[in-house]
Amino acid sequence: GESVGLHLPTLSVQEGDNSIINCAYSNSASDYFIWYKQESGKGPQFIIDIRSNMDKRQGQRVTVLLNKTVKHLSLQIAATQPGDSAVYFCAELGGSYIPTFGRGTSLIVHP
Amino acid sequence: GAVVSQHPSRVICKSGTSVKIECRSLDFQATTMFWYRQFPKQSLMLMATSNEGSKATYEQGVEKDKFLINHASLTLSTLTVTSAHPEDSSFYICSARVRTSGGASETQYFGPGTRLLVL
């Protein structure tokens, strides 16, 4: 289930399940969005991106959905694996292409 | 993919000393480098934007005299935390924006981060 911790919300899933991580962004002028994965003690890694003229984009095992009406992004991970355990951040970018990071969600995958 | 390195990966220093962190783009030229700070269980907060050969642009609330940024070349930016105090202990992450023949790209690559602990 999903719970909100002191700073980071946490999503716990079983290995093999699908995971859905949500993100609300703040700036309606943002036109480019990126999902990053950050493992403990490491820098963020690019997962998938989407531009505002799209509402869905698929990668390998990951899908990003964008709902501009409610300023909402989601990251879907299919067949979640223990190696997917990490903190996931969405980032919104405008014309300056400087990402503003969202709050982050900690994904815990139980074997 | 493009690689960004940071050195050192972790550093422990005494209060009042200065610490320099290097960020290098290893196989590409970076028009712009960015410095972020991340406290435990929190998001990345942009500190400053660094362009090669010009002064860095600092975000509101970030002291430019405390966090000195030098961007001497298209592949190297340094962040110096001057007179460090325990509250400066954090995870410092740089990123580099790829320079392409057509101009600046929106693609950024992040370094592995530097853990700073000030005693």
Side-chain angles (χ1 to χ4, degrees):
Chain A
E2 184 172 328
S3 63
V4 177
L6 184 61
H7 294 292
L8 283 178
T10 300
L11 176 64
S12 293
V13 300
Q14 290 296 128
E15 181 178 1
D17 288 352
N18 296 332
S19 302
I20 300 176
I21 300 171
N22 297 302
C23 174
Y25 65 93
S26 57
N27 189 348
S28 56
S30 296
D31 59 5
Y32 181 47
F33 305 88
I34 303 175
W35 278 100
Y36 290 96
K37 173 185 180 183
Q38 187 181 28
E39 296 177 68
S40 181
K42 297 182 179 180
Q45 290 176 276
F46 173 96
I47 301 174
I48 191 168
D49 59 357
I50 189 168
R51 296 197 179 273
S52 59
N53 60 353
M54 303 170 70
D55 54 21
K56 180 179 180 179
R57 188 153 190 243
Q58 287 185 290
Q60 188 177 17
R61 277 202 310 120
V62 294
T63 301
V64 56
L65 299 178
L66 173 63
N67 185 330
K68 295 181 289 294
T69 303
V70 295
K71 293 190 287 186
H72 183 269
L73 273 169
S74 69
L75 176 70
Q76 300 178 4
I77 304 174
T80 316
Q81 302 166 1
D84 295 326
S85 294
V87 177
Y88 290 80
F89 293 97
C90 68
E92 57 182 301
L93 294 85
S96 66
Y97 293 128
I98 299 175
T100 299
F101 284 81
R103 187 180 179 193
T105 296
S106 177
L107 176 65
I108 299 173
V109 182
H110 301 282
Chain B
V3 177
V4 175
S5 71
Q6 282 184 239
H7 178 79
S9 58
R10 57 178 62 212
V11 56
I12 301 173
C13 68
K14 291 183 179 179
S15 185
T17 60
S18 294
V19 174
K20 181 187 283 189
I21 303 170
E22 292 186 349
C23 176
R24 292 181 186 273
S25 57
L26 296 185
D27 50 1
F28 66 97
Q29 291 185 328
T31 53
T32 306
M33 289 183 170
F34 304 90
W35 287 97
Y36 294 84
R37 180 167 51 181
Q38 185 179 32
F39 292 108
K41 297 191 184 301
Q42 294 189 27
S43 189
L44 282 76
M45 298 301 297
L46 180 66
M47 298 174 67
T49 302
S50 169
N51 291 295
E52 185 261 340
S54 63
K55 289 184 178 180
T57 302
Y58 290 81
E59 294 299 299
Q60 192 172 11
V62 178
E63 299 175 57
K64 62 180 181 181
D65 294 330
K66 181 167 184 64
F67 298 100
L68 300 178
I69 292 173
N70 183 278
H71 195 154
S73 75
L74 284 170
T75 60
L76 173 64
S77 176
T78 61
L79 168 68
T80 301
V81 183
T82 62
S83 186
H85 288 96
E87 58 266 29
D88 298 323
S89 299
S90 190
F91 193 49
Y92 292 87
I93 305 170
C94 73
S95 71
R97 178 180 289 168
V98 178
R99 177 179 184 169
T100 66
S101 58
S105 162
E106 67 267 18
T107 306
Q108 286 192 26
Y109 296 93
F110 284 83
T114 296
R115 178 77 60 192
L116 171 63
L117 177 61
V118 185
L119 302 176

